[in-house]
Amino acid sequence: MTDTVLHADAREIVVDEVFPHAPEMVWKTLATSAMMARWLNMTPTGYEPVVGNRFTYKTSPAGAWDGTIQCEVLEVVPGERLAYSWKGGDEANVGYGSRLDTIVTFTLEKVDGGTRLRVVHSGFVLPRNETAYRNMSGGWSQVIGRIGAVTEEEASTKAR
């Protein structure tokens, strides 16, 4: 008898962008609840940039899933790195709303002319998370643009 082992295919989404702002400005955009709501288009409930802090986002429900994304802050290095878990979905769902257990990591690096922001959303298990992976791959690119816009708005307000 031959044993067959199935290995799930794990994927991550990686987006890099350089912004013409100091790391402190980009950090404020990433790590402040009100600003997070502006660039992610979801308001975090209970968020604080403190390791161990649990918070939620709310999105469209699907099937057995109520649309709540459960998060926990895993790492905080002010001005350099923020990581949190991103969990949601339900085992009974297929496609949108399937069980998701991932990690989002934001890394900031000072570069000539500003800050390099690298976002890595890891832990997508294919084929189960294929829909989330596909949707969020395009979504994170849009979100990064909004992070830049929100940071720019804050910088303009501060300059006045």
Side-chain angles (χ1 to χ4, degrees):
M1 184 169 147
T2 304
D3 289 332
T4 303
V5 178
L6 297 177
H7 295 282
D9 189 9
R11 296 280 169 91
E12 63 184 23
I13 299 165
V14 179
V15 182
D16 281 297
E17 186 69 50
V18 174
F19 299 110
H21 306 288
E24 299 77 29
M25 288 292 299
V26 179
W27 174 260
K28 181 179 176 187
T29 303
L30 294 175
T32 305
S33 185
M35 294 176 82
M36 289 171 79
R38 290 169 55 195
W39 55 260
L40 196 54
N41 286 338
M42 290 189 294
T43 300
T45 301
Y47 171 78
E48 291 182 45
V50 175
V51 172
N53 174 250
R54 294 177 186 272
F55 65 101
T56 61
Y57 292 112
K58 189 76 170 169
T59 190
S60 302
W65 178 48
D66 67 359
T68 302
I69 301 163
Q70 303 286 337
C71 302
E72 180 178 353
V73 177
L74 304 173
E75 183 178 6
V76 177
V77 180
E80 295 179 19
R81 192 170 168 93
L82 173 65
Y84 52 85
S85 61
W86 179 291
K87 300 178 182 184
D90 189 276
E91 293 295 337
N93 288 351
V94 175
Y96 179 78
S98 65
R99 170 61 65 207
L100 188 66
D101 187 353
T102 59
I103 295 174
V104 179
T105 304
F106 301 90
T107 305
L108 291 82
E109 176 186 3
K110 186 171 180 53
V111 295
D112 287 343
T115 301
R116 176 179 178 235
L117 173 63
R118 179 178 173 89
V119 179
V120 178
H121 193 160
S122 61
F124 293 91
V125 178
L126 303 184
R128 180 182 75 210
N129 299 138
E130 180 67 40
T131 300
Y133 178 75
R134 186 176 53 250
N135 292 347
M136 294 173 118
S137 290
W140 276 115
S141 294
Q142 292 174 355
V143 165
I144 295 302
R146 289 194 301 264
I147 289 171
V150 169
T151 304
E152 182 61 38
E153 288 170 15
E154 286 298 309
S156 296
T157 301
K158 236 182 181 182
R160 290 181 194 164

